[in-house]
Amino acid sequence: MKNLQNVVSHFETKGTVSEISPLGSGLINDTYRVSTIENEMPDYVLQRINHAIFQDVELMQDNISRVTSHIRHKLEQKGESDLDRKTLTVIPATDGKLYYFDGDSYWRMTLLIPDAVSYEAVTPEFSYYTGKAFGDFQNMLVDLPGEPLGATIPDFHNMEFRLSQLADAINADAAGRLEKAQYLVDELLNRADEMCKAERMHREGILPKRITHCDTKVNNMLFDQEGNFLCVIDLDTTMPGYVLSDFGDFIRTAGNTAAEDETDLSKISVNMDIFRSFAKGYVESAKPFLTTVEIENLPYGAKLLTYMQTVRFLTDYLNGDVYYKIKSPEHNWERTLAQFTLLQSIEANEPEMKAFIKDLL
Ligand code: GN1
Ligand code: MG
């Protein structure tokens, strides 16, 4: 706490710190809530950035600052109130930078959004509003001025790249786990060609890159106490990408009837009510800028992101758990199996998903 308090002192905060405690369930950064004694002073969110993963902190913070300022501006134009709860506010360090480097770790801070909640699961009604909000989020960023955003993690959602990482992990078999995982490796490689379709469509010029969030897990969204959508958080990976990513990651998480790491595989399937509500909301608000190709491929996006996450968890398992935080030795294997089960359920429901999307068009 003393050390953390020292870190806090390097940011432009107001009030007296009363408590610093762990917050959230992210798999990458370490997150803390910084509470202040005075009622009229805000609380803050402090994060130690995982620098091994986010190597260009300057670029990342610059992206976040540009995105949040632009959204704030858009909300102001629309006459919205309560802006501090509808977009993240970056708190600069005392030297004016958007982060603080203590010689070892990189830290950053935002305002804590008061009276906000996040969920690991949502109802279909929530999903509809969340879909609308996501379409709005992307829509507001369509005219972000200046240079295109930089890629905070190059090739982050590039399936060809993720498969090359899996191939490297298979070749190295660093943790000696390949034998056990071989049947699943085969299952995944059988689907590899189909799953690289998005990259091919991009090269052919029919699938554009837009500004996407690239981590639209349901727990990266904040709602007020009445269940109204407030804003999207965790903007680390906001960068150029396919809209399929954001659509797909929401279905992968919110549309899963079980947790991301559920070990009872019989509990896992895709909830089609969530799919339909989210798709309806999303297409309603994103229609002004989406192309027909993008809309038609939304079910493919759900499949792609679930497949990609299966590949990523399996790659980390084969590499000996070097990327994701784990809570038990086989955690990445359990996550892999759970994601693969979800993938199979999405595959089974794909015709129905396609028919629904066709009707929306
Ligand atoms: C990571 O840290 P968190 O939980 O928001 C990951 C996502 C994965 C997700 C899997 C930078 O997000 O890409 O989809 O775990 N973020 C990064 O749950 O790799
Ligand atoms: Mg997160």
Side-chain angles (χ1 to χ4, degrees):
M1 161 96 177
K2 230 177 157 197
N3 175 32
L4 289 174
Q5 222 155 9
N6 178 33
V7 172
V8 172
S9 73
H10 290 275
F11 286 92
E12 292 285 353
T13 57
K14 296 181 192 142
T16 321
V17 174
S18 60
E19 206 192 334
I20 304 177
S21 49
L23 182 71
S25 58
L27 302 185
I28 307 290
N29 297 315
D30 298 327
T31 309
Y32 302 91
R33 178 192 179 125
V34 179
S35 310
T36 54
I37 296 175
E38 301 84 353
N39 272 336
E40 65 283 9
M41 293 300 171
D43 291 345
Y44 300 91
V45 175
L46 175 70
Q47 281 189 308
R48 186 209 308 267
I49 299 167
N50 186 325
H51 181 45
I53 293 177
F54 296 107
Q55 298 188 354
D56 194 339
V57 174
E58 186 107 27
L59 173 106
M60 173 167 76
Q61 290 302 95
D62 191 57
N63 277 0
I64 295 176
S65 158
R66 283 177 60 194
V67 163
T68 50
S69 313
H70 188 70
I71 289 184
R72 178 175 286 265
H73 179 70
K74 288 269 159 146
L75 294 172
E76 259 165 18
Q77 279 181 337
K78 281 201 245 171
E80 296 257 3
S81 57
D82 206 10
L83 296 186
D84 283 349
R85 292 174 80 215
K86 292 186 185 148
T87 180
L88 283 180
T89 307
V90 178
I91 305 293
T94 48
D95 63 3
K97 287 205 171 98
L98 299 174
Y99 59 89
Y100 164 64
F101 180 59
D102 67 7
D104 186 35
S105 301
Y106 286 83
W107 300 86
R108 57 138 177 248
M109 194 176 253
T110 49
L111 272 185
L112 179 102
I113 299 184
D115 302 317
V117 269
S118 70
Y119 299 96
E120 297 295 332
V122 289
T123 61
E125 196 197 343
F126 260 55
S127 300
Y128 170 73
Y129 291 109
T130 312
K132 271 184 99 74
F134 247 94
D136 280 342
F137 176 80
Q138 289 176 346
N139 203 3
M140 284 191 280
L141 292 172
V142 164
D143 60 350
L144 182 83
E147 293 282 297
L149 291 184
T152 44
I153 301 180
D155 291 320
F156 188 54
H157 278 181
N158 177 341
M159 199 57 241
E160 291 169 353
F161 172 70
R162 293 300 179 187
L163 281 164
S164 75
Q165 287 186 315
L166 176 62
D168 290 347
I170 292 169
N171 284 333
D173 191 18
R177 290 167 164 176
L178 182 61
E179 203 184 323
K180 170 176 175 181
Q182 188 63 53
Y183 75 96
L184 207 59
V185 166
D186 295 342
E187 287 277 3
L188 294 175
L189 294 185
N190 281 339
R191 292 162 168 84
D193 188 54
E194 186 204 351
M195 295 301 175
C196 292
K197 182 178 90 171
E199 294 305 322
R200 286 194 295 273
M201 287 197 298
H202 180 63
R203 279 196 290 272
E204 287 160 16
I206 53 173
L207 182 65
K209 285 208 177 170
R210 307 184 180 279
I211 298 179
T212 44
H213 179 277
C214 291
D215 192 14
T216 46
K217 292 162 69 163
V218 58
N219 63 14
N220 278 334
M221 295 165 200
L222 295 185
F223 300 85
D224 70 13
Q225 308 286 354
E226 284 78 50
N228 301 306
F229 181 88
L230 286 171
C231 68
V232 192
I233 57 168
D234 199 352
L235 302 174
D236 296 342
T237 50
T238 303
M239 59 177 140
Y242 310 128
V243 295
L244 308 185
S245 282
D246 286 1
F247 184 84
D249 235 358
F250 184 84
I251 301 301
R252 181 183 77 76
T253 55
N256 186 349
T257 51
E260 188 177 60
D261 57 356
E262 176 60 59
T263 52
D264 179 352
L265 301 181
S266 70
K267 288 187 181 156
I268 302 173
S269 62
V270 61
N271 179 333
M272 285 299 291
D273 287 335
I274 300 275
F275 174 88
R276 282 185 284 265
S277 317
F278 185 73
K280 187 164 184 293
Y282 177 69
V283 171
E284 270 175 29
S285 65
K287 221 173 183 172
F289 68 89
L290 290 182
T291 65
T292 307
V293 170
E294 287 175 302
I295 298 177
E296 277 170 355
N297 277 286
L298 292 175
Y300 175 73
K303 203 162 70 167
L304 173 60
L305 267 286
T306 309
Y307 174 79
M308 190 182 303
Q309 196 60 57
T310 316
V311 168
R312 290 178 65 194
F313 281 146
L314 181 60
T315 301
D316 198 35
Y317 181 68
L318 294 176
N319 286 338
D321 314 313
V322 292
Y323 189 91
Y324 292 108
K325 290 182 191 170
I326 51 165
K327 290 187 177 145
S328 58
E330 292 293 286
H331 205 168
N332 273 321
W333 177 243
E334 289 159 10
R335 288 166 171 156
T336 305
L337 291 180
Q339 289 294 296
F340 183 67
T341 307
L342 181 64
L343 175 67
Q344 290 174 306
S345 170
I346 293 177
E347 286 171 345
N349 281 283
E350 202 181 0
E352 206 182 320
M353 290 181 174
K354 281 188 176 160
F356 183 79
I357 295 289
K358 209 166 168 214
D359 279 350
L360 287 183
L361 267 167

